[in-house]
């Protein structure tokens, strides 16, 4: 059975285990303990099974005492250990790593180390016991450069949304140089497309800790912690002030759309020396195509710019592209900038998440003000309890009101509802559209005379960026592979998504991480605060501080109800009277705090569509705005 190692900084109590491993491998002990502060250990089930360290001499260091237990041989543990130690050395300011070996020159050669003459060793290394006679004169001397923060190579961050800028703040705090590449003209470009939407989550969950420290050092006045911001206020009061800070502003490059990421000088197939190579990030901007060379890549580009199509099978409906001028994806400003497109029209809303709910309620208000506005709602299933939510049992009053108002709208007969409607095709019908679908039995159905469509059907990640990298995605969620079991909406209907960090977000390509909504793929239950903790862990790992990277502590409030069926009668979707709400989540006591889910506050008048995903403690919603916190 393959052991899963957890790497961390060595402690004094680890020395007996390290000593035992070194003796078993016939590696020298002389001088090793003196440099224990620069050692890493790999442990599984509380047992130390691997170790490595370095002796630092200014900007150079000597790698030594690299050992793995016999049962780990052939499992890639040595490769993982070496990558972790290189990160730790780079974070400590080491620019070049040297080693002496009698048996493993081929292994190190495959990982970027070059053989050199012993006479070429820096004079500082001669202070090491290994150079003073512990290693034989016949030992091979090898060296490799480290692309650490002191070497001048930046860390690329793709996307300048909340999670991307949080990553940049953490990189600055760790001594790295961030290179933030944003496709839009301004930071927070995805949020800008729904700036009218008010979020469920209060300010206390929407500001990253490292970003807050940077802002407060420049006299930033934080908004009231319990206030509910709009997406536009997140941009204006938080992201733009953060992006203007002198420490961060020079590192943000807007209008730079990332096209591809690759290893510098390596295609996907080539292995030898791959891990030691930098990354190449190719962008398209005002000056044309451009390549940036970086030491690591954090992809926080989200999914918002890749909306799911209308087709019930995941493909665009036949005729969807031709009808594109009549289709809006996501959360249009129905009561504001887009009012003229919807007033007096027959509008079809497709989707069963909070964004669909918000659009339906905004259309209902518009119908009161603009006679002739007709509302049609189509969902692929027939269970509407998820979008109706927990009502008064919901820990977020705003979200509870959203569900209650939508239920009241449905029961009022003011909208035309089509359940079990899986769209197959869209075709012109005079001056309008006919939307054709099928039910689960395959029976053909249609919705006639549609003049406008709002596709609130979720989003998906753009996986083309990493075509030349060695990445591993879950085959159906398209999330980072190790994260999928924690977030799969097919399996997770109750209970929280446990905190996760760099280990669950890592790919087979060392130094590349997808974070934020991008890491969740098609799963709709991403939270902004989750993304902040993700990037804190990832940046700590890049710095070689695995103790901090593995100490993932995500404090998210609960909702007080996780199975929305508990809040309504058994036949709630058919209009039966409401049943008593559940006291808590899965039989537990109802938590008092509000959830940090990003979605629309409808305590005020509806001004647009809803926000995004459900709490990880609740049944995930298939909401179109799964990337709205990205």
């Amino acid at each position: 059975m393959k052991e899963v190692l957890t790497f961390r900084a060595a402690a004094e109590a680890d020395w007996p285990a390290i000593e035992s491993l070194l003796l078993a491998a016939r590696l020298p002990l002389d001088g090793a303990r003196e440099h224990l502060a620069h050692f890493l250990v790999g442990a599984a089930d509380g047992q130390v099974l691997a170790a490595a360290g370095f002796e630092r001499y200014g900007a150079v260091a000597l790698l030594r005492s690299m050992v793995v237990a016999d049962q780990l041989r052939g499992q890639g543990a040595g490769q993982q250990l070496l990558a972790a130690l290189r990160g730790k050395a780079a974070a400590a300011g080491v620019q070049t790593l040297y080693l002496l070996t009698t048996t493993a020159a081929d292994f190190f050669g495959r990982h970027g180390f070059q053989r050199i003459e012993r006479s070429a060793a820096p004079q500082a290394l001669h202070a090491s016991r290994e150079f003073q006679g512990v290693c034989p004169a016949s030992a091979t001397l090898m060296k490799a450069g480290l692309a650490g923060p002191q070497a001048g190579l930046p860390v690329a961050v793709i996307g300048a949304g909340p999670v991307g800028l949080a990553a940049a703040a953490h990189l600055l705090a760790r001594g790295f140089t961030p290179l933030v590449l944003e496709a839009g003209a301004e930071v927070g470009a995805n949020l800008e497309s729904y700036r009218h939407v008010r979020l469920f989550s209060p300010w206390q969950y929407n500001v990253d800790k490292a970003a807050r420290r940077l802002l407060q050092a420049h006299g930033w006045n934080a908004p009231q912690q319990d206030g509910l911001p709009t997406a536009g206020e997140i941009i204006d009061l938080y992201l733009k002030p953060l992006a203007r800070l002198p420490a961060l502003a020079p590192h943000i490059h807007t209008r730079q759309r990332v096209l591809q990421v690759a290893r510098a000088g390596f295609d996907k197939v080539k292995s030898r020396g791959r891990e030691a190579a930098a990354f190449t990030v190719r962008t398209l901007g005002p000056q044309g195509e451009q390549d940036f060379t970086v030491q690591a890549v954090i992809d926080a580009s989200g999914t918002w710019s890749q909306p799911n199509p209308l087709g019930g099978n995941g493909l665009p409906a036949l005729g969807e592209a031709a009808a594109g001028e009549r289709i809006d994806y996501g959360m249009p400003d129905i009561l504001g900038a887009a009012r003229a497109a919807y007033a007096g029209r027959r509008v079809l809303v497709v989707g069963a998440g909070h964004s669909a709910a918000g659009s339906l309620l905004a259309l209902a208000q518009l119908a009161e003000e603009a006679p002739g506005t007709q509302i049609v709602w189509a969902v692929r299933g027939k269970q509407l309890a998820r979008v109706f939510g927990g009502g008064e049992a919901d820990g977020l009053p705003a979200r509870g009101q959203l569900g209650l108002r939508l239920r009241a709208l449905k029961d009022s007969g003011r909208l035309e509802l089509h359940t079990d409607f899986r769209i197959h095709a869209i075709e012109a019908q005079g001056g309008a559209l006919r939307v054709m679908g099928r039910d689960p039995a395959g029976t053909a159905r249609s919705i006639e005379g549609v003049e406008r469509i709002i596709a609130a059907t979720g989003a998906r990640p753009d996986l083309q960026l990493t075509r030349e990298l060695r990445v591993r995605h879950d085959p159906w969620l398209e999330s980072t592979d190790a994260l999928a079991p924690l977030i799969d909406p097919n399996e997770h209907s109750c209970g929280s998504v446990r905190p996760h960090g760099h280990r669950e977000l890592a790919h087979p390509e060392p130094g590349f991480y997808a974070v934020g909504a991008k890491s969740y793929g098609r799963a709709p239950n991403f939270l902004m605060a989750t993304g902040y903790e993700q990037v804190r862990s990832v940046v700590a790992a890049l710095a070689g501080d695995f103790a901090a990277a593995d100490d993932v502590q995500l404090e998210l409030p609960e909702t007080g109800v996780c199975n929305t069926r508990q809040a309504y009668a058994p036949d709630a979707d058919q209009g039966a009277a409401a049943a008593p709400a559940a006291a808590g989540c899965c039989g537990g006591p109802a938590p008092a705090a509000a959830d940090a889910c990003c979605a629309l506050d409808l305590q005020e008048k509806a001004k647009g569509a809803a926000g995004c995903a459900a709490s990880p403690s609740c049944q995930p919603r298939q909401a179109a705005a799964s990337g709205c916190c990205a």
Side-chain angles (χ1 to χ4, degrees):
M1 179 178 177
K2 186 174 181 178
E3 299 280 1
V4 179
L5 290 181
T6 297
F7 296 103
R8 58 174 172 80
E12 186 65 33
D14 295 318
W15 176 249
I18 297 172
E19 182 181 41
S20 178
L21 286 170
L22 294 176
L23 289 172
R26 299 182 180 180
L27 292 174
L29 298 177
D30 296 45
R33 192 169 187 176
E34 298 170 15
H35 297 275
L36 192 61
H38 294 310
F39 268 68
L40 289 175
V41 295
D45 297 325
Q47 182 181 5
V48 174
L49 299 175
F54 61 87
E55 301 176 13
R56 184 184 175 191
Y57 301 95
V60 300
L62 182 70
L63 186 153
R64 62 166 301 170
S65 306
M66 182 169 166
V67 61
V68 297
D70 287 342
Q71 66 262 39
L72 294 180
R73 298 188 184 280
Q75 298 184 19
Q79 175 181 326
Q80 296 172 26
L81 179 60
L82 179 59
L85 190 70
R86 292 171 87 147
K88 182 177 178 66
V94 174
Q95 296 183 23
T96 309
L97 194 59
Y98 293 80
L99 63 88
L100 287 165
T101 181
T102 57
T103 60
D106 288 342
F107 169 82
F108 288 107
R110 291 194 300 272
H111 293 89
F113 283 80
Q114 298 176 335
R115 300 174 189 241
I116 62 172
E117 295 296 324
R118 193 154 177 156
S119 60
Q123 187 62 36
L125 294 185
H126 290 274
S128 167
R129 297 277 188 89
E130 289 199 348
F131 268 84
Q132 291 175 2
V134 171
C135 282
S138 59
T140 301
L141 179 63
M142 309 182 77
K143 77 170 186 178
L146 298 182
Q150 303 301 320
L153 285 178
V155 174
V157 178
I158 306 176
V163 175
L165 291 185
H170 283 278
L171 287 167
L172 287 172
R174 288 280 185 174
F176 292 91
T177 299
L179 173 70
V180 183
L181 301 169
E182 167 58 48
E186 300 283 349
V187 299
N190 287 342
L191 287 165
E192 185 65 41
S193 71
Y194 53 92
R195 68 162 31 246
H196 57 286
V197 172
R198 190 171 297 279
L199 311 184
F200 280 143
S201 52
W203 273 108
Q204 69 182 98
Y205 296 109
N206 296 330
V207 178
D208 171 75
K209 292 178 181 178
R212 182 186 295 275
R213 289 192 292 269
L214 276 178
L215 286 163
Q216 289 178 335
H218 289 79
W220 181 63
N221 293 318
Q224 289 294 324
Q225 292 294 284
D226 57 355
L228 296 172
T230 63
E233 288 168 342
I234 292 286
I235 298 171
D236 299 337
L237 302 181
Y238 170 43
L239 297 184
K240 286 186 176 180
L242 179 62
R244 287 195 293 263
L245 294 179
L248 190 52
H251 307 300
I252 299 175
H253 302 261
T254 57
R255 295 187 174 91
Q256 289 289 341
R257 180 175 299 280
V258 174
L259 304 177
Q260 289 276 291
V261 181
R263 284 283 187 183
F266 290 78
D267 63 19
K268 193 172 188 175
V269 176
K270 188 176 180 181
S271 296
R272 187 179 180 87
R274 183 179 190 87
E275 291 181 5
F279 288 88
T280 296
V281 181
R282 178 162 295 175
T283 67
L284 178 63
Q287 281 72 50
E289 291 187 347
Q290 184 175 359
D291 282 348
F292 294 90
T293 302
V294 299
Q295 61 170 292
V297 178
I298 299 173
D299 184 357
S301 58
T303 60
W304 186 248
S305 60
Q306 300 286 319
N308 286 329
L310 288 167
N313 56 4
L315 302 177
L318 297 174
E320 184 170 343
E325 291 186 358
R326 294 175 179 262
I327 303 172
D328 290 311
Y329 297 86
M331 298 181 290
D333 189 1
I334 293 169
L335 297 175
R339 181 186 182 95
Y342 294 98
R345 309 287 181 104
R346 179 169 164 81
V347 183
L348 169 64
V349 178
V350 182
H354 287 118
S355 55
S359 288
L360 290 165
L361 291 171
L363 286 168
Q365 180 176 332
L366 181 62
E368 295 176 357
E369 302 168 359
T373 304
Q374 300 178 37
I375 312 167
V376 188
W377 184 19
V379 295
R380 294 175 183 173
K382 63 180 179 181
Q383 299 297 323
L384 303 179
R386 289 185 182 185
V387 67
F388 289 154
E392 299 297 340
D394 199 313
L396 278 178
R399 187 175 61 189
Q401 287 298 312
L402 174 70
L404 291 174
R405 292 181 61 190
L406 179 62
R407 183 180 181 84
L409 176 62
K410 169 188 172 290
D411 292 344
S412 72
R414 295 167 57 202
L415 62 78
E416 177 185 321
L417 176 62
H418 296 261
T419 60
D420 279 340
F421 192 93
R422 301 172 186 182
I423 295 176
H424 168 66
I426 302 171
E427 64 179 26
Q429 184 186 46
L433 300 172
R434 175 186 291 115
V435 180
M436 294 171 287
R438 301 188 180 101
D439 64 18
T443 304
R445 298 163 59 187
S446 67
I447 302 173
E448 310 289 331
V450 174
E451 296 173 278
R452 198 86 194 172
I453 300 174
I454 297 174
T457 48
R460 59 184 62 179
D462 178 5
L463 302 182
Q464 290 301 309
L465 300 183
T466 54
R467 181 70 183 271
E468 285 303 314
L469 294 183
R470 296 177 177 181
V471 292
R472 183 179 293 125
H473 295 104
D474 180 74
W476 51 87
L477 290 185
E478 297 181 345
S479 68
T480 302
D481 187 58
L483 187 58
L486 308 180
I487 62 174
D488 187 350
N490 293 296
E491 303 294 336
H492 289 270
S493 61
C494 187
S496 62
V497 174
R498 69 175 176 84
H500 55 274
H502 72 107
R503 298 194 184 281
E504 293 85 356
L505 299 169
H507 286 271
E509 194 78 71
F512 172 78
Y513 297 90
V515 298
K518 185 72 171 281
S519 71
Y520 273 46
R522 299 193 186 199
N525 45 346
F526 169 72
L527 306 175
M528 194 188 300
T530 302
Y532 293 159
E533 182 64 1
Q534 285 181 341
V535 296
R536 186 207 61 78
S537 173
V538 164
V539 174
L542 289 175
D545 186 354
F546 290 96
D550 290 330
D551 185 22
V552 183
Q553 297 181 0
L554 185 61
E555 298 179 6
L556 292 175
E558 305 284 354
T559 61
V561 59
C562 56
N563 184 343
T564 54
R565 297 291 294 179
Q566 295 175 343
Y568 297 102
D571 198 23
D573 292 336
Q574 305 306 317
C585 180
C586 296
D595 178 37
C597 176
C598 166
L600 176 64
D601 175 314
L602 279 166
Q603 290 176 323
E604 300 180 346
K605 275 192 172 184
K607 286 189 176 181
C612 78
S615 162
S617 67
C618 294
Q619 197 169 38
R621 275 72 160 173
Q622 294 182 347
S626 60
C628 74
C629 306

